[in-house]
């Protein structure tokens, strides 16, 4: 018994000895981004190696705000990401429920088409999508154009379909015998059981919307409708690049992602683990 505990301790020490340097390597770029956000443009490119934060963050942020109205851009990004995540999780859950629990003609064809759309790069559909939204529907420079076109997420549909397929069908059959309506089964039984998977999907979708750059850049031409990544992109000019402002903005863009993951990490890990077990 004693030898087993010693062996387990040695394995844990060896595991930490391997993982700790890897964690440091992964965190080092984030730390340097924080350091650069507190330095002037001249200090960033100085030959001296600096590993500790300086005192120039407020000035960098003031310059960033003056050049891009970054606070407004951040509020637009937060609003778009939150609304998109909620609507997309709801829609993909409904589609996944239908594909997992209902039998209808052509179901396998629909699943095959959804799988096929995953292989299509966004560059293939972005121009037709832009023409349809901007010219046909005349929705350019609107919140609708930012949120609605990316709502259908093939990965999310397959993700939720897998989650609902893992649930015992007898549970839903028993609810039907008791007279529970279909929409009540979906909202009150299926969705609570799929909460870990929905949390994992919500993090993925929030991250996708938060980092989206190409579509907001194309569909919005007004400065007042810029999202935060697009606003940061405007700091890169032909003759001047505000590196201190870019680093300060990058720090502010990273913070909401960390907050979302901290609050949902337990459900995220549970959702990923459930898929792995399956």
């Amino acid at each position: 018994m004693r030898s087993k505990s010693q062996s387990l301790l040695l394995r844990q020490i060896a595991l930490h000895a391997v993982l700790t340097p890897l964690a440091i390597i992964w965190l080092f770029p984030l730390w340097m981004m924080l350091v650069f956000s507190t330095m002037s443009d001249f200090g960033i490119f100085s030959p001296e190696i600096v590993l500790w934060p300086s005192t120039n963050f407020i000035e960098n942020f003031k310059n960033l705000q003056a050049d891009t109205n970054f606070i407004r851009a951040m509020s637009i990004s937060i609003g778009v990401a939150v609304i998109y995540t909620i609507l997309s999780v709801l829609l993909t859950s409904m589609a996944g429920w239908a594909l997992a629990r209902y039998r209808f003609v052509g179901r396998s064809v629909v699943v095959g088409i959804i799988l096929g759309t995953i292989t299509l790069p966004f560059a293939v559909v972005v121009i037709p999508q832009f023409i349809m939204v901007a010219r046909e529907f005349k929705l350019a420079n609107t919140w609708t154009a930012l949120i609605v076109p990316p709502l259908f997420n093939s990965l999310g549909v397959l993700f939720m379909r897998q989650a609902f397929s893992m649930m015992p069908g007898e549970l839903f059959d028993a609810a039907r015998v008791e007279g529970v309506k279909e929409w009540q089964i979906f909202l009150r039984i299926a969705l609570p059981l799929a909460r870990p998977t929905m949390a994992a999907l919500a993090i993925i979708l929030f991250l996708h919307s938060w980092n989206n750059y190409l579509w907001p850049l194309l569909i919005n031409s007004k400065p007042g409708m810029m999202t935060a990544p697009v606003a940061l992109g405007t700091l890169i000019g032909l003759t001047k690049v505000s590196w201190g402002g870019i680093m300060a903005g990058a720090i502010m863009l990273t913070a909401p992602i960390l907050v979302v993951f901290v609050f949902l990490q337990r459900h995220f890990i549970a959702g990923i683990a459930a898929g792995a077990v399956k």
Side-chain angles (χ1 to χ4, degrees):
M1 191 71 180
R2 187 174 183 180
S3 61
K4 289 183 179 179
S5 60
Q6 291 177 348
S7 177
L8 179 60
L9 178 62
L10 290 176
R11 285 199 298 268
Q12 291 178 346
I13 293 175
L15 180 63
H16 283 79
V18 173
L19 293 182
T20 300
L22 293 177
I24 294 174
I25 293 173
W26 184 84
L27 292 173
F28 184 73
L30 297 178
W31 173 255
M32 292 307 301
M33 181 173 66
L34 174 63
V35 172
F36 288 153
S37 69
T38 63
M39 299 171 61
S40 63
D41 291 347
F42 176 78
I44 292 175
F45 291 98
S46 65
E48 181 182 358
I49 299 177
V50 180
L51 297 178
W52 298 103
S54 185
T55 58
N56 214 56
F57 181 83
I58 296 179
E59 182 177 350
N60 288 336
F61 177 75
K62 288 181 178 179
N63 295 333
L64 174 66
Q65 177 64 19
D67 293 337
T68 64
N69 195 2
F70 195 71
I71 293 179
R72 178 182 176 83
M74 281 282 292
S75 64
I76 292 175
S77 286
I78 292 174
V80 169
V82 170
I83 296 173
Y84 166 80
T85 301
I86 294 174
L87 292 180
S88 188
V89 168
L90 179 60
L91 291 176
T92 54
S93 298
M94 294 169 64
W97 171 257
L99 293 174
R101 289 299 171 184
Y102 295 142
R103 296 185 178 275
F104 53 89
V105 178
R107 184 177 67 167
S108 59
V109 176
V110 173
V111 175
I113 293 175
I114 294 175
L115 284 171
T117 59
I118 296 179
T119 63
L120 290 176
F122 182 64
V124 174
V125 299
V126 64
I127 299 302
Q129 181 173 290
F130 172 78
I131 293 174
M132 180 177 63
V133 174
R135 187 177 67 184
E136 304 298 332
F137 296 155
K138 302 185 185 302
L139 293 175
N141 299 303
T142 63
W143 282 67
T144 303
L146 287 173
I147 298 172
V148 174
L151 272 183
F152 178 78
N153 188 278
S154 302
L155 180 63
V157 173
L158 297 176
F159 207 55
M160 295 308 300
R161 173 178 175 269
Q162 180 69 14
F164 292 132
S165 298
M166 295 168 57
M167 298 177 185
E170 294 80 3
L171 178 65
F172 308 121
D173 293 337
R176 294 187 182 98
V177 170
E178 295 294 330
V180 182
K181 297 181 180 180
E182 290 294 324
W183 66 269
Q184 292 176 325
I185 294 175
F186 174 68
L187 291 178
R188 299 180 180 179
I189 301 177
L191 287 187
L193 291 176
R195 189 178 301 169
T197 305
M198 293 173 63
L201 179 61
I203 292 178
I204 296 172
L205 294 177
F206 184 89
L207 185 62
H208 168 72
S209 178
W210 187 256
N211 291 333
N212 195 5
Y213 176 79
L214 180 58
W215 178 247
L217 177 66
L218 291 176
I219 201 63
N220 290 327
S221 58
K222 294 181 179 180
M225 285 299 298
M226 287 192 304
T227 57
V230 177
L232 279 185
T234 61
L235 296 178
I236 302 177
L238 296 176
T239 59
K240 178 185 177 182
V241 179
S242 179
W243 292 110
I246 291 175
M247 291 296 105
I251 287 294
M252 297 185 65
L253 280 176
T254 305
I257 299 174
L258 296 178
V259 170
V260 170
F261 182 78
V262 166
F263 280 103
L264 297 179
Q265 63 174 333
R266 179 170 61 88
H267 299 292
F268 178 75
I269 296 172
I272 297 298
V277 171
K278 178 63 177 178

